[in-house]
Amino acid sequence: MATFLYRLGRFSFRKRHVVALFWVALLALAGAGAAGAPAAGNSSFSIPGTEAQKAFDLLDERFPGASADGATARVVFKAPDGEKMTDPGNKAAVQETVDELSGGAEVAQVSDPYQGGGVSQDGTVAYASVTYKVSGMELEETSREALEAAAEDARDSGLTVEIGGDALQAVPETGSAEIIGIGVAAVVLVITLGSLLAAGLPLLTAIVGVGIGVATITALASTLDLGSTTSILASMIGLAVGIDYALFVVSRYRAELAEGREREEAAGRAVGTAGSAVVFAGLTVVIALVGLSVVNIPMLTKMGIAAAGTVAVAVLIALTLIPAVLGYAGRRVRPAGEKSKLLGGGRAKDKADRPNMGTRWASFVVRRPLAVLLLGIVGLGAAAVPAGSLELGLPDDGSQPTSTTQRRAYDLLSEGFGPGFNGPLVVVVDAQGSDDPQAVFQQAGDEIKALDNVVNVAPAAPNKAGDTATIAVIPDAKPSSAATEDLVHDIRAAGADIKDDTGADVLVTGATAMNIDVSQKLNDALVPYLVLVVGLAFLLLIVVFRSILVPLKAALGFLLSVLAALGAVVAVYQWGWLSGLMGVEETGPIMSMMPIFMVGVVFGLAMDYEVFLVTRIREAHVHGEKPSQAVVTGFRYSARVVTAAAVIMIAVFSGFIGSSDSMVKMIGFGLAIAVLFDAFVVRMAIVPAVLALLGAKAWWLPKWLDRALPNVDVEGESLAVHDRAADKDDEDKELVRA
């Protein structure tokens, strides 16, 4: 592989105009597709194989035209102090709002609070439910504007009016913090590379890669039903790895220049060595992201594949566009150790022989490996303790900031009708094969009323055929509570008994039941996913490092860092520690997708640092150095760059903490803290400590396996052989001339 990538690097450097034109054309093509495509909305959410989804599909079949998957809104009214919603003036204002909403082109139905039991017992709060013919993703902006205008008209009459539901869900915004993250990355690159131009190259190429990835996602969003968060997550991961991969290639290029190589040769060798690490690091990230498809949740699968595509583009850009732009830069990119005049270059190097920070740190770890190892494990173990209290759920309007109308509507409904009113359960009774469907409906309603934690059970509402009915159930507790989850399980248990007695199916659905089912599905999939991803990456790392213990150590270190990161997420978003600093307005259960998403993404990113750091150590070992000295040598050449790469990735991920979307905010924090733990505790401390303790045993591989494995030559040994052959040819020519 090293030889192939070496040739690719030299080709890209030499044919820089062709390579640059190709990438610019690809960016323009993707941009044109994005410009002409419909805007992304909120992806339709389905969880195949669950009871909630089965019931939802049954509703679509048995209640045609009911817009089961249509967008919904709840317009909540509150009377002024001392007044009731039943007062004539307030009642007239509400009726006018209902009439105004009913005229919408996409509106399927609007409920009248005074005819459908939509007024609280104390008379202070009322609500009107609006159902649309299309999903929230397909809802026209004019319909949202009409909804807000109707609410504003009602406010003019003196009422407090707020709107809940998914009809007003906005495309999430990341805010200015993302720009700050990129700014931090730029500063780190300048310090690391010692040149404004060299620092600009990774940023430029990463932005090109993310631009291609995000534009492609935008162009395909409507066709493939990609949600608005898909492009944000793809840009988050693509930007971070794009900068890092480019940084590693540029740094190796400068190191090759420092050894006296010509620029084209240096570009080829940078791609042949650092580029090999980029390929395998990127491959582990892609495996982890594509592996999310095993969960069988379409939204999560699409997010993973889209992000994986962006990572693949980042890898290709690092291998081709980076050497091309290095060709354009020429002598303005200086050898390692030299700085531009603007940054202090040209001064006397009075400390040229002084060991750098990476050398000093690695020497310290090699002298005291056991102490460093124990301290790292204990520290990460302490950070992981809160993960034992992990509670999972999916965000609803109750997790929105209090400044939003959705959250205020949620609070008003809780105040007027009880906390469970925000998470009604829909029980679907399929009595198609029953002799007396009406009796089955009545039996189901009676048994549900007898359960604990039930506030209200509405009468069964049959379809036109009379063989299927829906029963609305209002729990006593809020949607995300354990009590509501227990109630869902109790209803399903009662439904199993009814099926045994009558043969009728009793299914529970609704947003709350969907959330419970998806949380359970994600929990069940976590271990198989972990085995699949870690297993595949373990095999890949065996090929890369030609060792059993090094990949095993890499996997165990990853588990430590991801558990510690989950502990930090629980401490901030569930317990409320430092919530003000992180902009968390409402604590609660951790998003159900968080553990499995973090496992996938963090594993891929953790292997990035593992590959970049350990390949440099193995390279030194392969070239004849003793194990402990190889660790020091590896750190001398790679610690500074790995540190810079980690700081850049943390800065980029932290930028997304400012997002308006609670899911993006939580993922941004989780990934940032995970990289912090993994890069600085696991890879920079635990890894050298373990390698120092293992010594030469770290690189042990059974002979039969060594013969069976392909030689991918990540360390560039074939290039060293090429050097020795070239040197011998030169010597022979000298002898002939002599």
Side-chain angles (χ1 to χ4, degrees), residues 221-277:
S222 179
T223 305
L224 301 181
D225 190 23
L226 303 176
S228 54
T229 56
T230 303
S231 60
I232 292 179
L233 294 173
S235 66
M236 179 195 302
I237 296 168
L239 188 62
V241 300
I243 294 174
D244 278 7
Y245 294 166
L247 170 61
F248 281 105
V249 174
V250 173
S251 298
R252 188 60 185 252
Y253 171 75
R254 296 178 70 235
E256 296 293 336
L257 288 179
E259 292 183 9
R261 303 192 191 281
E262 294 296 326
R263 294 187 178 273
E264 183 179 326
E265 178 69 11
R269 288 182 172 274
V271 175
T273 51
S276 297

Short mmCIF file of all heavy atoms in Angstrom, two decimals, residues 221-277:
data_model
loop_
_atom_site.label_atom_id
_atom_site.label_comp_id
_atom_site.label_asym_id
_atom_site.label_seq_id
_atom_site.Cartn_x
_atom_site.Cartn_y
_atom_site.Cartn_z
N ALA A 221 -31.42 15.06 0.11
CA ALA A 221 -32.22 15.03 1.34
C ALA A 221 -33.67 14.67 1.08
O ALA A 221 -34.26 13.83 1.78
CB ALA A 221 -32.13 16.39 2.04
N SER A 222 -34.27 15.28 0.09
CA SER A 222 -35.68 15.02 -0.18
C SER A 222 -35.88 13.62 -0.74
O SER A 222 -36.79 12.89 -0.34
CB SER A 222 -36.21 16.06 -1.16
OG SER A 222 -37.56 15.82 -1.46
N THR A 223 -34.99 13.19 -1.64
CA THR A 223 -35.12 11.88 -2.28
C THR A 223 -34.95 10.74 -1.28
O THR A 223 -35.70 9.76 -1.30
CB THR A 223 -34.07 11.72 -3.40
OG1 THR A 223 -34.21 12.80 -4.31
CG2 THR A 223 -34.23 10.41 -4.12
N LEU A 224 -33.95 10.88 -0.39
CA LEU A 224 -33.63 9.81 0.55
C LEU A 224 -34.23 10.03 1.93
O LEU A 224 -33.94 9.26 2.85
CB LEU A 224 -32.10 9.67 0.67
CG LEU A 224 -31.35 9.36 -0.63
CD1 LEU A 224 -29.86 9.24 -0.36
CD2 LEU A 224 -31.88 8.08 -1.26
N ASP A 225 -35.04 11.09 2.09
CA ASP A 225 -35.68 11.37 3.38
C ASP A 225 -34.64 11.55 4.49
O ASP A 225 -34.69 10.92 5.54
CB ASP A 225 -36.66 10.24 3.74
CG ASP A 225 -37.53 10.60 4.94
OD1 ASP A 225 -37.71 11.79 5.21
OD2 ASP A 225 -38.02 9.67 5.62
N LEU A 226 -33.66 12.42 4.22
CA LEU A 226 -32.62 12.71 5.20
C LEU A 226 -33.05 13.88 6.05
O LEU A 226 -33.44 14.93 5.54
CB LEU A 226 -31.29 13.03 4.50
CG LEU A 226 -30.75 11.95 3.55
CD1 LEU A 226 -29.48 12.44 2.87
CD2 LEU A 226 -30.48 10.66 4.30
N GLY A 227 -32.97 13.74 7.36
CA GLY A 227 -33.38 14.80 8.27
C GLY A 227 -32.40 15.96 8.27
O GLY A 227 -31.26 15.86 7.80
N SER A 228 -32.83 17.08 8.84
CA SER A 228 -32.00 18.28 8.88
C SER A 228 -30.76 18.08 9.73
O SER A 228 -29.73 18.73 9.51
CB SER A 228 -32.83 19.45 9.42
OG SER A 228 -33.40 19.12 10.67
N THR A 229 -30.83 17.18 10.73
CA THR A 229 -29.65 16.97 11.59
C THR A 229 -28.59 16.12 10.89
O THR A 229 -27.44 16.12 11.32
CB THR A 229 -30.06 16.26 12.90
OG1 THR A 229 -30.73 15.04 12.58
CG2 THR A 229 -30.96 17.14 13.74
N THR A 230 -28.95 15.43 9.82
CA THR A 230 -27.98 14.56 9.14
C THR A 230 -26.80 15.36 8.61
O THR A 230 -25.64 14.98 8.80
CB THR A 230 -28.66 13.82 7.98
OG1 THR A 230 -29.77 13.07 8.48
CG2 THR A 230 -27.69 12.87 7.30
N SER A 231 -27.07 16.48 7.95
CA SER A 231 -25.99 17.29 7.40
C SER A 231 -25.16 17.94 8.50
O SER A 231 -23.94 18.11 8.36
CB SER A 231 -26.55 18.36 6.46
OG SER A 231 -27.44 19.21 7.14
N ILE A 232 -25.79 18.30 9.62
CA ILE A 232 -25.05 18.92 10.72
C ILE A 232 -24.06 17.92 11.32
O ILE A 232 -22.89 18.25 11.56
CB ILE A 232 -26.02 19.44 11.81
CG1 ILE A 232 -26.83 20.61 11.26
CG2 ILE A 232 -25.27 19.86 13.06
CD1 ILE A 232 -27.83 21.17 12.23
N LEU A 233 -24.52 16.70 11.55
CA LEU A 233 -23.63 15.69 12.12
C LEU A 233 -22.53 15.29 11.14
O LEU A 233 -21.38 15.06 11.53
CB LEU A 233 -24.45 14.46 12.53
CG LEU A 233 -25.44 14.72 13.67
CD1 LEU A 233 -26.32 13.50 13.89
CD2 LEU A 233 -24.72 15.08 14.95
N ALA A 234 -22.87 15.23 9.85
CA ALA A 234 -21.85 14.92 8.85
C ALA A 234 -20.80 16.02 8.80
O ALA A 234 -19.60 15.74 8.68
CB ALA A 234 -22.51 14.75 7.48
N SER A 235 -21.23 17.27 8.89
CA SER A 235 -20.25 18.37 8.87
C SER A 235 -19.41 18.38 10.13
O SER A 235 -18.21 18.66 10.09
CB SER A 235 -20.97 19.71 8.70
OG SER A 235 -21.77 20.02 9.83
N MET A 236 -20.02 18.03 11.27
CA MET A 236 -19.28 17.98 12.54
C MET A 236 -18.14 16.96 12.45
O MET A 236 -16.98 17.28 12.74
CB MET A 236 -20.24 17.58 13.67
CG MET A 236 -19.60 17.45 15.04
SD MET A 236 -20.66 16.58 16.23
CE MET A 236 -22.13 17.56 16.24
N ILE A 237 -18.46 15.76 12.02
CA ILE A 237 -17.44 14.70 11.97
C ILE A 237 -16.49 14.92 10.79
O ILE A 237 -15.27 14.77 10.91
CB ILE A 237 -18.13 13.34 11.87
CG1 ILE A 237 -18.94 13.08 13.14
CG2 ILE A 237 -17.12 12.22 11.67
CD1 ILE A 237 -19.89 11.92 13.05
N GLY A 238 -17.05 15.29 9.63
CA GLY A 238 -16.22 15.50 8.45
C GLY A 238 -15.21 16.62 8.62
O GLY A 238 -14.05 16.50 8.19
N LEU A 239 -15.61 17.71 9.26
CA LEU A 239 -14.69 18.82 9.48
C LEU A 239 -13.56 18.42 10.42
O LEU A 239 -12.38 18.73 10.18
CB LEU A 239 -15.46 20.02 10.05
CG LEU A 239 -14.71 21.34 10.15
CD1 LEU A 239 -14.28 21.82 8.78
CD2 LEU A 239 -15.59 22.39 10.84
N ALA A 240 -13.91 17.71 11.49
CA ALA A 240 -12.90 17.32 12.47
C ALA A 240 -11.87 16.37 11.86
O ALA A 240 -10.66 16.59 11.96
CB ALA A 240 -13.57 16.67 13.68
N VAL A 241 -12.34 15.30 11.20
CA VAL A 241 -11.38 14.34 10.64
C VAL A 241 -10.67 14.91 9.42
O VAL A 241 -9.50 14.60 9.16
CB VAL A 241 -12.06 12.99 10.29
CG1 VAL A 241 -12.68 12.35 11.51
CG2 VAL A 241 -13.09 13.15 9.18
N GLY A 242 -11.35 15.78 8.66
CA GLY A 242 -10.73 16.37 7.49
C GLY A 242 -9.52 17.21 7.86
O GLY A 242 -8.46 17.13 7.21
N ILE A 243 -9.65 18.02 8.91
CA ILE A 243 -8.52 18.84 9.36
C ILE A 243 -7.41 17.93 9.89
O ILE A 243 -6.23 18.13 9.60
CB ILE A 243 -8.98 19.84 10.45
CG1 ILE A 243 -9.95 20.87 9.86
CG2 ILE A 243 -7.78 20.55 11.06
CD1 ILE A 243 -10.55 21.80 10.89
N ASP A 244 -7.79 16.93 10.68
CA ASP A 244 -6.79 16.05 11.28
C ASP A 244 -6.01 15.28 10.23
O ASP A 244 -4.78 15.19 10.28
CB ASP A 244 -7.46 15.07 12.25
CG ASP A 244 -7.72 15.70 13.60
OD1 ASP A 244 -7.50 16.92 13.73
OD2 ASP A 244 -8.14 14.99 14.53
N TYR A 245 -6.72 14.69 9.26
CA TYR A 245 -6.03 13.90 8.24
C TYR A 245 -5.08 14.77 7.43
O TYR A 245 -3.95 14.36 7.12
CB TYR A 245 -7.04 13.22 7.31
CG TYR A 245 -7.92 12.19 7.98
CD1 TYR A 245 -9.06 11.69 7.36
CD2 TYR A 245 -7.61 11.70 9.25
CE1 TYR A 245 -9.86 10.73 7.97
CE2 TYR A 245 -8.40 10.75 9.87
CZ TYR A 245 -9.53 10.27 9.23
OH TYR A 245 -10.32 9.33 9.84
N ALA A 246 -5.54 15.95 7.06
CA ALA A 246 -4.68 16.86 6.31
C ALA A 246 -3.48 17.29 7.14
O ALA A 246 -2.35 17.39 6.63
CB ALA A 246 -5.48 18.09 5.86
N LEU A 247 -3.70 17.51 8.43
CA LEU A 247 -2.61 17.91 9.32
C LEU A 247 -1.52 16.85 9.36
O LEU A 247 -0.32 17.17 9.31
CB LEU A 247 -3.16 18.17 10.73
CG LEU A 247 -2.14 18.37 11.85
CD1 LEU A 247 -1.26 19.58 11.57
CD2 LEU A 247 -2.85 18.51 13.19
N PHE A 248 -1.90 15.59 9.44
CA PHE A 248 -0.91 14.51 9.51
C PHE A 248 -0.08 14.43 8.23
O PHE A 248 1.13 14.22 8.28
CB PHE A 248 -1.58 13.18 9.79
CG PHE A 248 -1.94 13.00 11.24
CD1 PHE A 248 -3.24 13.11 11.67
CD2 PHE A 248 -0.95 12.75 12.18
CE1 PHE A 248 -3.56 12.96 13.01
CE2 PHE A 248 -1.27 12.60 13.53
CZ PHE A 248 -2.57 12.70 13.94
N VAL A 249 -0.72 14.61 7.08
CA VAL A 249 0.02 14.54 5.82
C VAL A 249 0.95 15.74 5.68
O VAL A 249 2.12 15.60 5.29
CB VAL A 249 -0.95 14.45 4.62
CG1 VAL A 249 -0.19 14.52 3.30
CG2 VAL A 249 -1.76 13.16 4.69
N VAL A 250 0.45 16.95 5.99
CA VAL A 250 1.29 18.15 5.89
C VAL A 250 2.47 18.08 6.85
O VAL A 250 3.61 18.44 6.51
CB VAL A 250 0.45 19.42 6.15
CG1 VAL A 250 1.35 20.66 6.22
CG2 VAL A 250 -0.59 19.60 5.06
N SER A 251 2.22 17.58 8.07
CA SER A 251 3.30 17.47 9.05
C SER A 251 4.37 16.49 8.57
O SER A 251 5.57 16.76 8.70
CB SER A 251 2.74 17.00 10.40
OG SER A 251 1.83 17.94 10.91
N ARG A 252 3.95 15.37 8.01
CA ARG A 252 4.93 14.39 7.51
C ARG A 252 5.69 14.95 6.31
O ARG A 252 6.90 14.71 6.15
CB ARG A 252 4.22 13.09 7.15
CG ARG A 252 5.18 11.94 6.80
CD ARG A 252 6.09 11.63 7.99
NE ARG A 252 7.09 10.64 7.66
CZ ARG A 252 7.07 9.37 8.12
NH1 ARG A 252 6.10 8.98 8.92
NH2 ARG A 252 8.03 8.53 7.79
N TYR A 253 5.01 15.73 5.48
CA TYR A 253 5.66 16.37 4.34
C TYR A 253 6.78 17.31 4.82
O TYR A 253 7.89 17.30 4.28
CB TYR A 253 4.61 17.16 3.56
CG TYR A 253 5.15 18.05 2.47
CD1 TYR A 253 5.61 17.53 1.27
CD2 TYR A 253 5.18 19.44 2.64
CE1 TYR A 253 6.09 18.36 0.26
CE2 TYR A 253 5.66 20.27 1.64
CZ TYR A 253 6.11 19.73 0.46
OH TYR A 253 6.59 20.55 -0.53
N ARG A 254 6.49 18.10 5.86
CA ARG A 254 7.51 19.01 6.39
C ARG A 254 8.67 18.24 7.01
O ARG A 254 9.83 18.65 6.93
CB ARG A 254 6.88 19.95 7.42
CG ARG A 254 5.82 20.87 6.82
CD ARG A 254 5.18 21.77 7.87
NE ARG A 254 6.12 22.77 8.35
CZ ARG A 254 6.44 22.94 9.62
NH1 ARG A 254 5.93 22.15 10.56
NH2 ARG A 254 7.30 23.88 9.98
N ALA A 255 8.35 17.08 7.65
CA ALA A 255 9.41 16.25 8.22
C ALA A 255 10.30 15.68 7.13
O ALA A 255 11.53 15.60 7.28
CB ALA A 255 8.80 15.12 9.05
N GLU A 256 9.71 15.28 6.02
CA GLU A 256 10.49 14.75 4.90
C GLU A 256 11.37 15.85 4.29
O GLU A 256 12.51 15.61 3.89
CB GLU A 256 9.57 14.16 3.83
CG GLU A 256 8.76 12.95 4.29
CD GLU A 256 9.63 11.73 4.56
OE1 GLU A 256 10.74 11.66 3.99
OE2 GLU A 256 9.21 10.86 5.33
N LEU A 257 10.83 17.07 4.22
CA LEU A 257 11.63 18.19 3.72
C LEU A 257 12.83 18.44 4.63
O LEU A 257 13.94 18.74 4.16
CB LEU A 257 10.78 19.47 3.65
CG LEU A 257 9.72 19.55 2.55
CD1 LEU A 257 8.98 20.87 2.66
CD2 LEU A 257 10.34 19.41 1.16
N ALA A 258 12.61 18.30 5.95
CA ALA A 258 13.69 18.53 6.91
C ALA A 258 14.81 17.52 6.75
O ALA A 258 15.96 17.78 7.12
CB ALA A 258 13.14 18.49 8.34
N GLU A 259 14.49 16.35 6.18
CA GLU A 259 15.51 15.33 5.94
C GLU A 259 16.24 15.55 4.62
O GLU A 259 17.06 14.74 4.20
CB GLU A 259 14.88 13.94 5.97
CG GLU A 259 14.37 13.55 7.36
CD GLU A 259 13.80 12.14 7.39
OE1 GLU A 259 13.96 11.43 6.38
OE2 GLU A 259 13.21 11.77 8.43
N GLY A 260 15.90 16.63 3.94
CA GLY A 260 16.62 17.00 2.72
C GLY A 260 16.03 16.49 1.43
O GLY A 260 16.68 16.56 0.39
N ARG A 261 14.81 16.00 1.44
CA ARG A 261 14.23 15.45 0.22
C ARG A 261 13.68 16.58 -0.66
O ARG A 261 13.29 17.63 -0.17
CB ARG A 261 13.12 14.46 0.55
CG ARG A 261 13.58 13.31 1.43
CD ARG A 261 12.54 12.20 1.49
NE ARG A 261 12.87 11.24 2.54
CZ ARG A 261 13.77 10.29 2.43
NH1 ARG A 261 14.44 10.16 1.30
NH2 ARG A 261 14.01 9.46 3.44
N GLU A 262 13.64 16.30 -1.96
CA GLU A 262 13.01 17.22 -2.88
C GLU A 262 11.51 17.25 -2.61
O GLU A 262 10.94 16.30 -2.08
CB GLU A 262 13.27 16.78 -4.33
CG GLU A 262 14.72 16.88 -4.75
CD GLU A 262 15.23 18.31 -4.74
OE1 GLU A 262 14.43 19.23 -5.06
OE2 GLU A 262 16.41 18.52 -4.42
N ARG A 263 10.85 18.33 -3.04
CA ARG A 263 9.44 18.54 -2.66
C ARG A 263 8.51 17.47 -3.24
O ARG A 263 7.61 16.99 -2.55
CB ARG A 263 8.99 19.94 -3.05
CG ARG A 263 9.73 20.99 -2.24
CD ARG A 263 9.25 22.41 -2.45
NE ARG A 263 10.04 23.27 -1.56
CZ ARG A 263 9.73 23.52 -0.28
NH1 ARG A 263 8.64 22.99 0.24
NH2 ARG A 263 10.50 24.28 0.46
N GLU A 264 8.70 17.10 -4.47
CA GLU A 264 7.83 16.05 -5.03
C GLU A 264 8.06 14.73 -4.32
O GLU A 264 7.11 14.01 -4.01
CB GLU A 264 8.11 15.90 -6.52
CG GLU A 264 7.19 14.87 -7.18
CD GLU A 264 7.44 14.73 -8.67
OE1 GLU A 264 7.78 15.74 -9.32
OE2 GLU A 264 7.29 13.60 -9.19
N GLU A 265 9.31 14.42 -4.04
CA GLU A 265 9.63 13.19 -3.32
C GLU A 265 9.05 13.23 -1.90
O GLU A 265 8.51 12.24 -1.41
CB GLU A 265 11.15 13.00 -3.27
CG GLU A 265 11.62 11.78 -2.50
CD GLU A 265 11.28 10.46 -3.17
OE1 GLU A 265 10.87 10.48 -4.36
OE2 GLU A 265 11.44 9.41 -2.53
N ALA A 266 9.15 14.39 -1.26
CA ALA A 266 8.61 14.54 0.10
C ALA A 266 7.10 14.35 0.11
O ALA A 266 6.53 13.73 1.01
CB ALA A 266 8.98 15.91 0.66
N ALA A 267 6.43 14.88 -0.91
CA ALA A 267 4.97 14.71 -1.00
C ALA A 267 4.62 13.24 -1.17
O ALA A 267 3.68 12.73 -0.54
CB ALA A 267 4.42 15.53 -2.17
N GLY A 268 5.36 12.54 -2.04
CA GLY A 268 5.11 11.12 -2.24
C GLY A 268 5.31 10.33 -0.97
O GLY A 268 4.49 9.46 -0.63
N ARG A 269 6.38 10.62 -0.25
CA ARG A 269 6.66 9.87 0.99
C ARG A 269 5.67 10.23 2.09
O ARG A 269 5.31 9.38 2.91
CB ARG A 269 8.09 10.15 1.45
CG ARG A 269 9.10 9.47 0.55
CD ARG A 269 10.52 9.68 1.00
NE ARG A 269 11.39 8.83 0.18
CZ ARG A 269 11.66 7.56 0.46
NH1 ARG A 269 11.14 7.00 1.52
NH2 ARG A 269 12.44 6.86 -0.33
N ALA A 270 5.22 11.47 2.13
CA ALA A 270 4.22 11.86 3.14
C ALA A 270 2.93 11.09 2.94
O ALA A 270 2.31 10.58 3.89
CB ALA A 270 3.96 13.36 3.06
N VAL A 271 2.51 10.97 1.68
CA VAL A 271 1.28 10.22 1.38
C VAL A 271 1.51 8.72 1.56
O VAL A 271 0.63 8.00 2.04
CB VAL A 271 0.79 10.53 -0.05
CG1 VAL A 271 -0.42 9.67 -0.41
CG2 VAL A 271 0.43 12.00 -0.17
N GLY A 272 2.72 8.24 1.23
CA GLY A 272 3.01 6.81 1.38
C GLY A 272 3.06 6.35 2.81
O GLY A 272 2.75 5.19 3.11
N THR A 273 3.45 7.23 3.75
CA THR A 273 3.56 6.84 5.16
C THR A 273 2.37 7.35 5.97
O THR A 273 1.51 6.58 6.39
CB THR A 273 4.87 7.39 5.74
OG1 THR A 273 4.97 8.79 5.46
CG2 THR A 273 6.06 6.68 5.15
N ALA A 274 2.27 8.68 6.14
CA ALA A 274 1.14 9.24 6.87
C ALA A 274 -0.17 8.93 6.16
O ALA A 274 -1.21 8.71 6.80
CB ALA A 274 1.31 10.75 7.04
N GLY A 275 -0.13 8.89 4.82
CA GLY A 275 -1.34 8.57 4.06
C GLY A 275 -1.84 7.17 4.33
O GLY A 275 -3.05 6.91 4.34
N SER A 276 -0.92 6.22 4.55
CA SER A 276 -1.34 4.86 4.90
C SER A 276 -2.09 4.85 6.22
O SER A 276 -3.13 4.18 6.37
CB SER A 276 -0.10 3.95 5.00
OG SER A 276 0.56 3.85 3.77
N ALA A 277 -1.57 5.62 7.18
CA ALA A 277 -2.27 5.72 8.47
C ALA A 277 -3.63 6.38 8.30
O ALA A 277 -4.62 5.99 8.94
CB ALA A 277 -1.42 6.52 9.46
#
